[in-house]
C-alpha cells in the first residue's frame, strides 16, 4: 500500500490516542493527522510523548463540519482515514441520544461523503485509498449466559478459539451475527456501520469495519467502569455497581486493539468486517473485586479492605447482559492475537492510574463533578 497521509479521527480520545502513538512511532514515512473536536473526552495530554514528532499534526475539527473536512482532504491529499471519533458512553446516550445521532451518524456520513467527493476527483480514484471505520460489539445486542454445564465466567482463556468454543458452547458474536442494538449509543454506531458499508456497495469506496469488545488501559476517561472505579477506590468513594453486577463483558487491553487496527488497516480485505476481542469474559462484580484487591495492594492497604465500598444501585436502562466476541476470523486470516493476559493487563492498568494521579486529577476537575452528580444522584 502506498498510503502517506492518514487522518485518524478521535485521536485525542482513549483508543484513538493509542492508535496515533502506534502509527506515529511505527511509520515515520507516514504523515499522521489527528483530527479531533476535543470534546470532554478528548485530551491532548494523552499524546504528550509524541506531540513534537515530525510526522504528526493535530487539527481541531468537528467531524460534522463537511466543508472543513472536504478542504482538509484536498489540502493534505488524504489517502487513508481511520475513524474513531464518536460519542462513546452508553449512560450519556441514555440521557442525550441526539448528540449521539449527530456525531456518530451524521459525523460519519459527513466524512464518507467528503472522502468520496475528493477521491473520485483524483485520476487514480479509489486506488490505494482506504476508509477504516472502528465500531463496537454492542451493535450485535446481548447474549445469554449459555455455558452448556452452567459454568459462569470469568472465561479468561487465550487458548485457541476452537478450544474455547468447544469448552463454552457456541454463543458468541460472529461477523455474521444480525445487528440488534439496544442503547441509543449502539443504535447510532449500528447506523454508522450501515452507512460505511453502503458507501462501498453503492460507490465502490474501499472500506473496512471492525467491531471490538470492551477496551481497558491507560488514558480512558473515568466515566467508564475501570478508571472510574480505580479513582473511587483510591479516594474511598462508593462504587456504584449497576443491578446485581452480573453483567458480563469481554475485556481487551487497548494496545492490543491498536495493534489489530494497524494490521487490519494494512492487510484487511476491502469491504470485510473483523471482530476484535480478547476471549476474556468477566462479570462486573468479579472485575470490581480484582480492582479493589489490586488498588489496595498497590497503595499498601490491606488487600480487600475496601470491599465495603461496593454499593449496588439502580440498573442501567436496557442493560445488555453479556457481550462475547469471537475473534477467530482475525486470528485465522491475519494472525492477530492478544499479547497480554488479563491479569498482567489489569495490573499494568491500575499501576498506570495510580502513577498518573495528575492526569486523573486534571480530567476529574472542572465539569466532571457535575457529570458525576447528574449521572449518579438518582440511582
Ligand atoms: P472516547 O470517548 O475516549 O474518545 C472519543 C474521541 O472522539 C474524543 O477525543 C473526542 O474529542 C472525539 N470526538 C467526539 N465527537 C467528535 C466530533 N464531533 N468531531 C471530532 N471529534 C470528536 O472514545 P473511545 O473509547 O476511545 O472509543 C473510540 C472509538 O472506538 C469509538 O468509535 C467507539 O465507538 C469505539 N469503541 C470503543 C470501545 C471501548 O471499549 N472504549 C470498544 C469498541 C469500540
Ligand atoms: O463493548 C464495547 C463498548 O464497551 C464500547 O463500544 C463503549 O464505547 C464502551 O463504553 C463500553 O461500553 P460498556 O457500557 O460495556 O462500558 P462501561 O465501562 O460503561 O460499563 C461496563 C459495565 O459496567 C457495564 O455492564 C455497566 C457497568 N457499570 C458501569 C459504570 C460506569 C457499573 O456497574 N457501574 C458504573 O458506574
Amino acid at each position: 500500500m502506498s498510503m502517506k497521509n492518514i487522518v485518524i479521527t478521535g485521536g485525542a480520545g482513549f483508543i484513538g490516542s493509542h492508535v496515533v502513538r502506534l502509527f506515529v512511532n511505527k511509520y515515520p514515512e507516514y504523515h499522521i493527522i489527528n483530527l479531533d473536536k476535543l470534546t470532554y473526552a478528548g485530551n491532548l495530554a494523552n499524546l504528550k510523548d509524541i506531540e513534537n514528532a515530525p510526522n504528526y499534526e493535530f487539527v481541531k475539527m468537528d467531524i460534522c463540519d463537511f466543508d472543513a473536512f472536504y478542504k482538509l482532504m484536498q489540502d493534505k491529499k488524504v489517502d487513508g482515514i481511520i475513524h474513531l471519533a464518536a460519542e462513546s458512553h452508553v449512560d450519556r446516550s441514555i440521557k442525550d441520544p441526539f448528540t449521539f445521532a449527530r456525531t456518530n451518524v451524521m459525523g460519519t456520513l459527513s466524512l464518507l461523503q467528503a472522502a468520496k467527493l475528493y477521491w473520485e476527483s483524483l485520476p487514480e480514484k479509489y486506488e490505494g485509498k482506504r476508509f477504516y471505520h472502528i465500531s463496537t460489539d454492542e451493535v450485535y445486542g446481548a447474549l445469554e449466559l449459555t455455558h452448556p454445564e452452567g459454568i459462569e465466567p470469568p472465561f479468561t482463556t487465550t487458548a485457541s478459539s476452537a478450544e474455547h468454543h468447544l469448552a463454552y458452547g457456541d454463543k458468541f458474536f460472529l461477523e455474521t451475527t444480525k445487528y440488534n442494538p439496544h442503547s441509543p449509543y449502539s443504535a447510532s454506531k449500528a447506523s454508522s456501520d450501515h452507512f460505511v458499508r453502503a458507501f462501498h456497495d453503492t460507490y465502490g469506496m474501499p472500506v473496512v469495519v471492525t467491531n471490538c469488545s470492551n477496551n481497558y488501559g491507560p488514558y480512558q476517561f473515568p466515566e467508564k467502569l475501570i478508571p472510574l472505579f480505580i479513582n473511587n477506590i483510591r479516594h474511598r468513594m462508593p462504587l456504584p455497581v449497576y443491578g446485581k453486577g452480573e453483567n458480563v463483558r469481554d475485556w481487551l487491553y487497548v494496545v492490543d486493539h491498536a495493534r489489530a487496527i494497524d494490521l487490519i488497516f494494512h492487510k484487511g480485505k476491502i469491504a470485510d468486517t473483523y471482530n476484535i476481542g480478547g476471549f476474556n469474559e468477566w462479570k462486573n462484580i468479579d472485575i470490581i473485586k480484582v480492582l479493589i484487591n489490586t488498588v489496595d495492594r498497590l497503595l499498601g492497604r490491606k488487600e480487600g479492605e475496601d470491599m465495603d465500598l461496593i454499593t449496588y444501585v439502580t440498573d442501567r436502562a436496557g442493560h445488555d447482559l453479556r457481550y462475547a466476541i469471537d475473534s477467530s476470523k482475525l486470528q485465522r486470516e491475519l494472525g492477530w492475537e492478544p499479547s497480554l493476559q488479563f491479569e498482567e493487563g489489569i495490573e499494568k492498568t491500575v499501576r498506570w492510574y495510580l502513577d498518573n494521579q495528575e492526569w486523573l486529577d486534571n480530567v476529574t476537575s472542572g465539569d466532571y463533578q457535575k457529570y458525576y452528580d447528574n449521572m449518579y444522584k438518582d440511582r
Side-chain angles (χ1 to χ4, degrees):
M1 220 189 283
S2 60
M3 289 195 185
K4 279 272 157 51
N5 301 314
I6 294 163
V7 166
I8 300 179
T9 72
F14 165 49
I15 302 171
S17 62
H18 289 276
V19 176
V20 167
R21 177 175 295 101
L22 189 155
F23 272 70
V24 165
N25 287 332
K26 187 168 170 187
Y27 300 107
E29 70 277 25
Y30 290 173
H31 180 59
I32 302 299
I33 302 155
N34 171 11
L35 188 159
D36 200 296
K37 182 182 172 184
L38 298 183
T39 67
Y40 77 92
N43 183 356
L44 289 177
N46 298 356
L47 289 164
K48 271 249 157 301
D49 51 328
I50 56 105
E51 67 186 2
N52 295 319
N55 61 339
Y56 171 71
E57 178 181 1
F58 172 69
V59 175
K60 187 171 187 308
M61 191 184 288
D62 186 336
I63 56 167
C64 299
D65 188 342
F66 172 84
D67 292 338
F69 187 66
Y70 181 56
K71 183 163 183 316
L72 182 117
M73 290 289 298
Q74 293 175 310
D75 290 350
K76 305 286 178 187
K77 300 186 173 23
V78 174
D79 34 26
I81 298 167
I82 304 178
H83 175 36
L84 295 111
E87 289 292 336
S88 69
H89 190 35
V90 174
D91 292 328
R92 287 186 194 252
S93 82
I94 293 168
K95 290 203 181 274
D96 173 21
F98 278 110
T99 304
F100 283 69
R102 179 186 179 275
T103 296
N104 298 358
V105 185
M106 292 306 291
T108 301
L109 178 55
S110 179
L111 297 180
L112 285 164
Q113 180 69 359
K116 169 185 178 289
L117 290 184
Y118 171 62
W119 287 339
E120 286 187 351
S121 74
L122 300 173
E124 74 273 20
K125 307 233 178 276
Y126 289 123
E127 186 67 39
K129 308 292 184 281
R130 183 158 293 205
F131 189 108
Y132 179 176
H133 177 62
I134 310 298
S135 191
T136 169
D137 60 357
E138 301 200 10
V139 297
Y140 297 125
L143 295 164
E144 297 298 316
L145 277 167
T146 50
H147 190 286
E149 289 152 24
I151 298 174
E152 301 213 329
F155 301 151
T156 57
T157 178
T158 52
S160 83
S161 53
E163 271 173 59
H164 187 85
H165 273 240
L166 278 178
Y168 299 120
D170 199 28
K171 296 287 192 285
F172 292 85
F173 296 138
L174 300 168
E175 286 81 359
T176 49
T177 300
K178 194 167 162 277
Y179 274 30
N180 185 21
H182 296 132
S183 72
Y185 163 68
S186 52
S188 68
K189 290 297 289 186
S191 172
S192 64
D193 296 8
H194 291 318
F195 269 109
V196 173
R197 294 188 179 112
F199 267 63
H200 170 267
D201 297 350
T202 309
Y203 309 112
M205 184 180 282
V207 306
V208 64
V209 178
T210 54
N211 298 82
C212 188
S213 64
N214 285 61
N215 286 215
Y216 71 97
Y219 301 113
Q220 187 169 31
F221 192 79
E223 62 188 350
K224 309 281 166 60
L225 180 77
I226 289 185
L228 188 147
F229 276 41
I230 293 172
N231 191 43
N232 282 15
I233 299 164
R234 174 165 74 105
H235 292 293
R236 293 213 155 107
M237 284 163 58
L239 305 176
V241 182
Y242 298 165
K244 295 184 177 146
E246 294 201 327
N247 302 68
V248 174
R249 297 292 182 266
D250 172 1
W251 295 93
L252 180 68
Y253 192 64
V254 61
V255 173
D256 281 327
H257 188 187
R259 286 174 50 246
I261 290 172
D262 174 21
L263 189 63
I264 293 161
F265 182 67
H266 291 96
K267 304 235 169 80
K269 265 207 300 248
I270 301 275
D272 219 339
T273 294
Y274 299 87
N275 279 351
I276 309 172
F279 286 122
N280 178 42
E281 292 177 56
W282 284 75
K283 282 189 180 192
N284 292 340
I285 193 64
D286 294 330
I287 276 217
I288 290 161
K289 288 177 183 164
V290 170
L291 291 176
I292 294 172
N293 283 332
T294 312
V295 174
D296 281 350
R297 175 166 46 79
L298 293 178
L299 287 181
R301 300 176 185 166
K302 189 162 159 276
E303 208 169 295
E305 75 169 277
D306 285 313
M307 287 294 169
D308 58 0
L309 296 176
I310 291 176
T311 309
Y312 292 95
V313 299
T314 311
D315 208 352
R316 174 184 277 175
H319 199 172
D320 289 333
L321 178 63
R322 171 181 173 238
Y323 303 144
I325 274 279
D326 182 335
S327 55
S328 55
K329 173 176 168 180
L330 180 57
Q331 299 192 3
R332 204 175 48 245
E333 293 188 6
L334 300 182
W336 173 89
E337 58 179 40
S339 66
L340 274 193
Q341 294 281 355
F342 185 66
E343 288 68 16
E344 203 184 336
I346 206 76
E347 174 92 15
K348 259 174 104 116
T349 301
V350 174
R351 265 185 205 283
W352 188 87
Y353 287 98
L354 296 180
D355 289 349
N356 288 275
Q357 291 187 8
E358 200 184 323
W359 183 92
L360 254 182
D361 290 344
N362 279 339
V363 296
T364 53
S365 63
D367 283 347
Y368 182 79
Q369 197 52 50
K370 255 193 264 162
Y371 162 80
Y372 199 91
D373 294 343
N374 181 36
M375 191 59 76
Y376 291 98
K377 71 173 183 305
D378 296 329
R379 287 192 180 273

